[in-house]
């Protein structure tokens, strides 16, 4: 029996994310299973071909060896920091320089840093928390606090839309930002729902954060200007009180583990120091590739011309298939505005979506039950057991087989009651 510290006990627990990752691995191993569960980006042939060619080029010119054989600085490779700053200035007119950007080993580790920088126990013994102003929210946040009970989330309002769709909104009338809140965090586009909170909602959150003198963290893993998996008009926002997290993962490079944080210089300096202590330096390969992508003017071009249309096409196919098997009376769909997921709501389902998930898993179909996506929600809310997340990453024919089984299991659950 290992004698573990409190940290050891907390971080070796079987978290929601570990269960999910194990299921995804099991799914990958067992032939024939239909993986609509995980958040792995699609293998887009044109992107894979591009990355292979890029590696060949970099190998020939020596930049690959340079990246493989050297540590970058703890803030990340400075040529990329400069190139990214120039790109964001040009795209959005934001007043930023390399001193406003730090790289991390994936944006997931940036969230770990940032949550624990701004929330947790402070010098006076008080406890501060991270507020998710709109749950459902990304399940990867929920276990990333060094302390217990570090997250609070707020229920949304639900707008019903035509054709069996709906959209969540921030419930500003009931949103409480107490003195115990140290950071507000929102993913935009949102994993799991595909929601993109509106410009107006974002501006109101920004104002609230500034009124309370706490940062607003916006997780832009799917957003603009790259990978650009957004199907609605919405403007990215940054100012020195906003911390914007980005990533190379959803462009198709999850393996290089490259996260990007854009923030004021004090936050960037904190991240640089944490990087130094925790990992010496972020990995060099992703930044070297991103740097070449920017030099060749391909980062935004590929996002707009390859990645976004790929997912948009998959999304359209998946919506058509879903409606062929499941009418609005059985299944409502969150308006898909971005990211790579559909969020399904079964208001009349007689069993919980956890039970439905188990039944689907038995039949080789993996989706994620909704209750994982409410980190820190204090009230019991039936809605959390009525939703399910599926990705639209596999090919249409596989998605159709998965949805056919989903529809059968839903009918079976209705028949049983
Ligand atoms: N944020 C969101 C909303 C995500 O969906 C993911 C991955 O699925 C991440 C952050 C973490 O991505 P990475 O650590 O690969 O940058």
């Amino acid at each position: 029996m290992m004698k573990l510290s409190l940290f050891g006990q907390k971080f070796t627990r079987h978290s929601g994310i570990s269960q999910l990752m194990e299921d995804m691995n099991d799914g990958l191993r067992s032939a024939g299973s239909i993986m609509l569960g995980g958040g792995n980006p699609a293998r887009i042939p044109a992107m894979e071909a591009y990355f292979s060619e890029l590696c060949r080029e970099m190998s020939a010119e020596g930049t690959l060896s340079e990246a493989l054989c050297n540590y970058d600085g703890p803030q990340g490779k400075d040529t990329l920091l400069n190139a990214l700053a120039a790109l964001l200035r040009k795209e959005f007119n934001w007043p930023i320089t390399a001193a406003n950007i730090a790289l991390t080993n994936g944006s997931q580790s940036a969230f770990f840093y940032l949550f624990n920088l701004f929330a947790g126990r402070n010098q006076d013994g008080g406890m501060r928390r991270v507020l998710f102003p709109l749950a459902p929210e990304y399940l990867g946040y929920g276990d990333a606090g060094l302390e217990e009970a570090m997250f609070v989330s707020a229920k949304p309002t639900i707008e019903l839309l035509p054709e069996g769709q709906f959209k969540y909104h921030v419930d500003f009338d009931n949103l409480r930002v107490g003195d115990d809140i140290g950071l507000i965090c929102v993913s935009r586009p949102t994993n799991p729902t595909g929601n993109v909170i509106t410009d107006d909602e974002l501006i109101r959150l920004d104002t609230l954060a500034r009124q309370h003198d706490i940062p607003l963290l916006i997780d832009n893993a799917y957003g603009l200007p790259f990978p650009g998996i957004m199907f609605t008009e919405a403007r990215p926002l940054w100012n020195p009180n906003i911390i914007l997290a980005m990533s190379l993962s959803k462009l198709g490079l999850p393996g290089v583990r490259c996260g990007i944080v854009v923030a004021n210089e004090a936050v960037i300096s904190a991240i640089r120091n944490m990087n130094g202590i925790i990992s010496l330096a972020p990995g060099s390969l992703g930044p070297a590739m991103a740097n070449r992508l920017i030099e060749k003017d391909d980062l935004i071009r590929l996002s707009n011309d390859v990645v976004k249309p790929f997912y948009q096409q998959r999304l359209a196919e998946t919506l058509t298939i879903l409606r062929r098997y499941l009418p609005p009376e059985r299944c409502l769909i969150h308006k898909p505005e971005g990211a790579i997921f559909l969020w399904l709501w079964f208001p009349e389902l007689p069993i919980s979506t956890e039970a439905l998930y188990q039944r689907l898993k038995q039949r080789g179909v993996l989706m994620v039950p909704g209750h994982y996506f409410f980190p820190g929600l204090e009230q019991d809310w039936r809605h959390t057991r009525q939703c399910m997340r599926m990705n639209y990453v596999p090919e249409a024919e596989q998605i159709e087989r998965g949805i056919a089984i989903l529809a059968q299991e839903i009918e079976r659950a209705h028949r049983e009651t």
Side-chain angles (χ1 to χ4, degrees), residues 39 106-108 111 138 141 187 191 219 221-222 247 249-250 257:
S107 62
Q108 183 71 24
F111 296 112
Y138 173 44
Y141 300 149
S187 63
N191 171 0
D219 179 354
Y222 300 90
S247 172
S249 296
K250 311 301 168 174
R257 311 304 304 125

Side-chain angles (χ1 to χ4, degrees), residues 309-355:
F310 175 91
Y311 286 109
Q312 204 157 17
Q313 162 88 30
R314 278 280 206 279
L315 168 62
E317 289 165 356
T318 307
L319 284 172
T320 309
I321 296 169
L322 262 170
R323 282 300 177 229
R324 206 176 307 138
Y325 288 86
L326 288 162
E329 306 83 72
R330 280 286 189 253
C331 169
L332 298 170
I333 303 172
H334 192 285
K335 186 175 180 208
E337 299 176 310
I340 60 176
F341 307 102
L342 282 172
W343 179 253
L344 311 178
W345 177 19
F346 312 105
E348 308 294 335
L349 188 70
I351 58 173
S352 69
T353 40
E354 166 73 33

Side-chain angles (χ1 to χ4, degrees), residues 196 228-233 308-309 311-312 315 336-339 392:
V196 173
I229 311 173
M230 244 170 64
F231 317 122
T232 181
E233 287 297 314
K308 175 181 168 174
Y311 286 109
Q312 204 157 17
L315 168 62
E337 299 176 310
Y392 42 86

